[in-house]
Amino acid sequence: MIYLFAAMHCEAEPLIRAMSLKAVPQQGPFHQWTSEKQDVLLTLTGIGSYSAAACVGAVLGSGRVDSGDILVSFGTCGSIRKDCRTGEIYRIHSIEDLVSRRCYVPDLLVDCGMKEASLLTGGQILDHQRTSVWYTGACELPQLYDMESAGICQAASLWMGPHQLHFFRVVSDTGDGNITPEGVCSLMNPCTPQLVRVLRKLQAFSDCMEREPDEVTAGMDAGWNVWMDGLRATAAMRQQAKALAHYAMLVGYPWEEHMERWQREQRIPCRNKQEGVRLLDELREAMQKYGL
């Protein structure tokens, strides 16, 4: 399941149209839409961190959240710093609560091909002239500002891990108050196709998360066994290799290319177990350099 959350209808309307979501008969205080397969549920939280936390808690608490489920919060935000321009969409890599000073850092395991930014969540509408007075944190002033993300993180963390939380924001203003529902919708429209592509990618990642490491070799047992035999792998080495392959698969890293190259270079089959250990270490180091 993909749990989508937006604060206002004008933020969600373009995505509702693009994904052909249907309204759910209202049984509580929150407006919701779902997909035909009911694997996507979009809910409007309302404005503010407390409203957002209450909404997320109610939605996630009313169902059974699985390890493969993801939460996606999207909408508009204000730009605190000049390096974030109106109309640009950003993936949020860190969120700081202005009141509690608590920081939330989602695990960005999937490359979404977007610019990334830090975000500050406060309890009142952004006033660019007063931001430096509000913010007295030890870290550099975040780039973006909204009123919901920290509340969403706090509530969602009761059911989900950091790797299941994803935040996307479109810059709508610089704290000058010059924004309307129509203006928000017009800003969200051009960003919606990219957001839909990202949701599909995150869904594929979600499906992988539900797979066990043993499933990595399903359908290719013969090839896998040839590689493991070539590494002179012990039972413990096979489990290590499977864990590496599973993680690489989750983040889209082409781990098979290493095995194929080693075969071409005749480094497989190895002469002994020690050579196989060195090749597994080489794979691990390559993944670390890749940023995993």
Side-chain angles (χ1 to χ4, degrees):
M1 172 73 79
I2 297 180
Y3 293 97
L4 296 172
F5 293 95
M8 303 178 291
H9 185 267
C10 55
E11 294 173 324
E13 184 180 353
L15 190 63
I16 292 172
R17 291 198 309 268
M19 299 184 69
S20 301
L21 302 181
K22 304 299 181 184
V24 176
Q26 192 168 352
Q27 298 178 343
F30 306 110
H31 295 282
Q32 294 182 307
W33 291 259
T34 188
S35 60
E36 184 177 354
K37 295 181 179 179
Q38 296 189 339
D39 57 352
V40 175
L41 179 65
L42 188 155
T43 308
L44 299 185
T45 66
I47 297 174
S49 191
Y50 297 136
S51 294
C55 176
V56 171
V59 172
L60 298 185
S62 64
R64 179 174 175 270
V65 178
D66 292 324
S67 60
D69 293 341
I70 58 174
L71 181 152
V72 176
S73 168
F74 69 99
T76 54
C77 66
S79 174
I80 300 176
R81 287 160 40 185
K82 294 180 180 179
D83 51 347
C84 296
R85 296 192 297 270
T86 300
E88 291 185 324
I89 185 169
Y90 291 88
R91 189 182 191 188
I92 306 305
H93 62 69
S94 61
I95 298 164
E96 183 174 352
D97 190 329
L98 180 60
V99 176
S100 69
R101 298 298 183 204
R102 183 174 178 181
C103 291
Y104 303 90
V105 184
D107 288 340
L108 308 186
L109 297 181
V110 181
D111 182 7
C112 292
M114 285 184 180
K115 293 182 180 179
E116 297 178 4
S118 54
L119 182 140
L120 180 68
T121 294
Q124 52 187 305
I125 295 174
L126 174 65
D127 181 342
H128 207 281
Q129 300 301 317
R130 296 174 57 197
T131 302
S132 59
V133 177
W134 292 349
Y135 187 78
T136 57
C139 301
E140 183 181 8
L141 183 67
Q143 296 163 279
L144 305 176
Y145 179 94
D146 80 352
M147 299 172 65
E148 292 83 31
S149 292
I152 291 173
C153 280
Q154 185 172 11
S157 63
L158 297 174
W159 289 273
M160 293 179 164
H163 64 285
Q164 295 174 276
L165 306 181
H166 308 273
F167 293 80
F168 302 94
R169 291 292 182 269
V170 177
V171 179
S172 61
D173 64 285
T174 57
D176 53 15
N178 185 24
I179 187 170
T180 64
E182 294 77 17
V184 168
C185 195
S186 65
L187 286 171
M188 294 299 297
N189 266 318
C191 298
T192 298
Q194 185 178 9
L195 189 56
V196 171
R197 289 194 297 270
V198 166
L199 289 176
R200 289 173 180 159
K201 192 170 186 177
L202 292 176
Q203 181 63 69
F205 175 77
S206 166
D207 293 341
C208 286
M209 286 295 293
E210 293 189 300
R211 297 174 61 182
E212 295 296 329
D214 284 343
E215 295 183 57
V216 175
T217 60
M220 52 165 284
D221 286 339
W224 177 263
N225 288 330
V226 168
W227 284 337
M228 292 301 101
D229 291 343
L231 290 174
R232 302 291 188 252
T234 63
M237 289 171 62
R238 288 172 185 263
Q239 287 303 114
Q240 291 175 9
K242 197 171 291 185
L244 282 173
H246 183 227
Y247 186 60
M249 179 189 67
L250 292 180
V251 297
Y253 182 77
W255 61 273
E256 304 99 322
E257 293 181 3
H258 288 272
M259 297 287 189
E260 293 168 355
R261 176 168 54 80
W262 292 336
Q263 285 181 315
R264 291 195 304 271
E265 295 173 352
Q266 297 184 347
R267 299 175 70 188
I268 293 181
C270 298
R271 289 175 295 181
N272 50 52
K273 181 186 73 172
Q274 286 70 29
E275 288 188 358
V277 169
R278 284 196 288 269
L279 289 182
L280 286 181
D281 288 340
E282 185 177 315
L283 174 59
R284 187 178 294 106
E285 291 171 3
M287 291 172 63
Q288 289 173 347
K289 291 178 180 178
Y290 184 74
L292 304 183

